[in-house]
DNA sequence: GACAAGCAGATTGTCGACAATCTAACAAGA
DNA sequence: TCTTGTTAGATTGTCGACAATCTGCTTGTC
């Protein structure tokens, strides 16, 4: 038998496609925090009945980016400064762990993939495609999790990623500036290729802290706005 | 106005009740790993239509204790030795983080609750109620997460707890022995009341390692059985 | 006997309609 | 004017039926 690794057949259920559509809409900020999702309206727009839509929404609730109140509705989660702080502080801990696990697993394929994803970030940056820049940066970041060979950790990271992506997207939208042209991942990639694991872990923390500051400023703005209502 | 804090009204949707029923059945081992959930059969047993049942199953899939294959069915997750190792190694990292966050938050209410939950474990142990013993032990363990004041961390822990509870239940079922009468939490509780945070973190790791060894033996048995099929 | 095509039964995915519940506007009474 | 009761409309929750898909068996062919 020829040694071929086929990619899995795509899930072709409406539900899966709806999940993808909704997730994208939320993570890019098209659906704003706190906004209510009207089932009838959305199902009509998507040309789909409410059953698969509701199942899709249930998944996203469990994924943590929607929240549901019985007989009242399903809403995009609200984002507070504390949420962002919480997500980031957990992210630091997980990063450190992921690097530790992934470190001995690094192989040529790892380094190839590292370069590939880094290149994708740079390309998105050059193209001034903000959304894609966030996506690719998180994918670059996620590589250590994929290589850590710990399924529960990977799942946890993926859940966290949803939120981080949402936070970044909101931040970018709010400040409404052109994309930062700087490449902040150069050092990170170099350290992951190097021999000093502790240094890589340390940098991951500091690297995160950088973007964190910007996000926090945005979050504080959110809180002020909320307290006025 | 009188200063009363009312507890929120219970979610009274069929869906929520189905989720609770199914989760309990899975976490106590009544539904075995790998087993298929027939929608029609279950919906008839519960006197409920398939719509809320399917939504409930979607939630549990996202919670990580069910797995779904389009047009094939929804199954209780399979448990492998690696899954257990992965869950536990992540748990260690999270524990350390949770203790660090919760430490400065400890107050009289914390210590009261600590004793209350510890007492619940001892009571379940005396009553030889295995299921309840697992539940209460995990609730005792979860206290540091509730006090850590980090919503994302708490969510993550709760997801992990589902699996841990399932693993323990399977383990207990498999060995089919009377419950261990020993109280292994005495030291843990004492350390959480003490002044040495590092010691508490260290003990949490070792304490976990203990039960881990037993679980692993069970998991290895599972793997052997699987390889024969 | 081996193998592929095709059919029947069972199961999952989706739909449209109905029931239960919430919200907001309005009316009635103190 | 403020509070309380009522009601209409909109929205979510649930149901039963139908469509799409899978699985295992049968049948026919070599």
């Amino acid at each position: 038998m020829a040694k071929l690794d086929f990619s899995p057949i795509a899930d072709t259920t409406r539900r899966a496609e709806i999940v993808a559509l909704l997730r994208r809409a939320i993570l890019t900020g098209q659906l704003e925090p706190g906004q209510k999702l009207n089932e009838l309206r959305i199902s009509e727009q998507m040309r789909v009945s409410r059953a698969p839509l509701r199942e899709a929404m249930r998944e996203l609730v469990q994924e943590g980016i929607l929240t549901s109140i019985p007989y009242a509705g399903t809403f995009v989660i609200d984002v507070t400064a504390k949420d962002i702080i919480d997500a980031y502080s957990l992210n630091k801990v997980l990063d450190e762990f992921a690097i530790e696990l992934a470190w001995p697993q690094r192989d040529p394929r790892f380094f190839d993939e590292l370069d590939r994803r880094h290149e994708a970030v740079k390309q998105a940056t050059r193209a001034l495609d903000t959304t894609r820049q966030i996506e690719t940066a998180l994918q670059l970041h996620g590589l250590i999790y994929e290589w850590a060979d710990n399924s529960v950790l990977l799942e946890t990271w993926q859940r966290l990623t949803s939120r981080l992506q949402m936070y970044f997207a909101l931040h970018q939208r709010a400040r409404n500036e052109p994309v930062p042209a700087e490449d902040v991942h150069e050092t990170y990639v170099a350290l992951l290729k190097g021999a000093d694991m502790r240094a890589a872990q340390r940098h991951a923390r500091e690297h995160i802290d950088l973007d964190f500051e910007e996000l926090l400023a945005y979050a504080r703005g959110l809180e002020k706005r909320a307290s006025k209502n």
Side-chain angles (χ1 to χ4, degrees), chain A:
Chain A
M1 175 105 63
K3 191 181 151 198
L4 283 171
D5 52 343
F6 291 103
S7 63
I9 303 294
D11 302 341
T12 50
T13 62
R14 298 202 197 294
R15 182 182 69 241
E17 292 193 38
I18 296 169
V19 166
L21 275 176
L22 281 181
R23 187 189 286 121
R24 186 157 191 84
I26 297 165
L27 297 190
T28 59
Q30 294 177 277
L31 285 168
E32 288 174 21
Q35 189 174 340
K36 177 173 178 180
L37 302 186
N38 184 311
E39 297 178 1
L40 200 58
R41 204 168 51 75
I42 295 179
S43 68
E44 281 168 357
Q45 284 180 6
M46 291 189 180
R47 304 289 180 82
V48 154
S49 81
R50 283 174 55 223
L53 172 63
R54 282 174 60 86
E55 292 187 16
M57 285 163 79
R58 242 22 90 199
E59 289 191 23
L60 294 175
V61 166
Q62 223 52 22
E63 202 173 305
I65 59 181
L66 289 182
T67 176
S68 161
I69 303 173
Y71 289 105
T74 305
F75 309 81
V76 179
I77 56 164
D78 271 317
V79 174
T80 67
K82 182 126 191 14
D83 290 332
I84 297 181
I85 296 174
D86 289 354
Y88 263 94
S89 62
L90 177 59
N91 191 35
K92 282 184 198 172
V93 173
L94 294 182
D95 265 15
E96 201 168 340
F97 184 44
I99 289 178
E100 191 174 320
L101 291 181
W103 201 258
Q105 309 277 344
R106 294 176 308 160
D107 56 11
R109 270 186 53 234
F110 175 85
F111 296 119
D112 284 355
E113 192 63 20
L114 193 61
D115 285 331
R116 217 183 55 73
R117 298 192 186 189
H118 188 195
E119 192 53 50
V121 179
K122 286 193 275 194
Q123 190 181 327
T125 305
R126 280 196 303 271
L128 299 179
D129 185 339
T130 313
T131 302
R132 180 131 190 77
Q133 192 193 21
I134 296 171
E135 263 179 28
T136 53
L138 286 171
Q139 275 165 14
L140 170 63
H141 206 73
L143 186 62
I144 52 172
Y145 288 89
E146 293 172 28
W147 246 257
D149 190 33
N150 181 321
S151 57
V152 189
L153 175 63
L154 182 59
E155 263 179 52
T156 304
W157 156 249
Q158 283 166 345
R159 284 173 58 80
L160 200 51
T161 296
S162 289
R163 299 185 177 212
L164 297 182
Q165 187 171 346
M166 183 175 169
Y167 299 157
F168 273 115
L170 290 172
H171 170 48
Q172 290 278 15
R173 277 206 154 212
R175 71 176 187 181
N176 206 22
E177 279 175 21
V179 189
E182 206 61 46
D183 179 11
V184 292
H185 304 288
E186 205 72 55
T187 316
Y188 176 72
V189 169
L191 280 170
L192 280 184
K193 288 181 178 172
D196 188 347
M197 186 181 83
R198 296 288 167 207
Q201 289 177 317
R202 213 158 36 235
H203 176 76
R205 285 205 169 196
E206 289 158 8
H207 169 61
I208 283 173
D209 278 330
L210 268 179
D211 293 328
F212 186 27
E213 283 306 320
E214 286 202 17
L215 261 185
L216 252 189
Y218 162 69
R220 293 213 187 84
L222 274 184
E223 297 236 303
K224 267 183 205 156
R225 198 161 60 96
S227 65
K228 282 180 186 168
N229 297 352

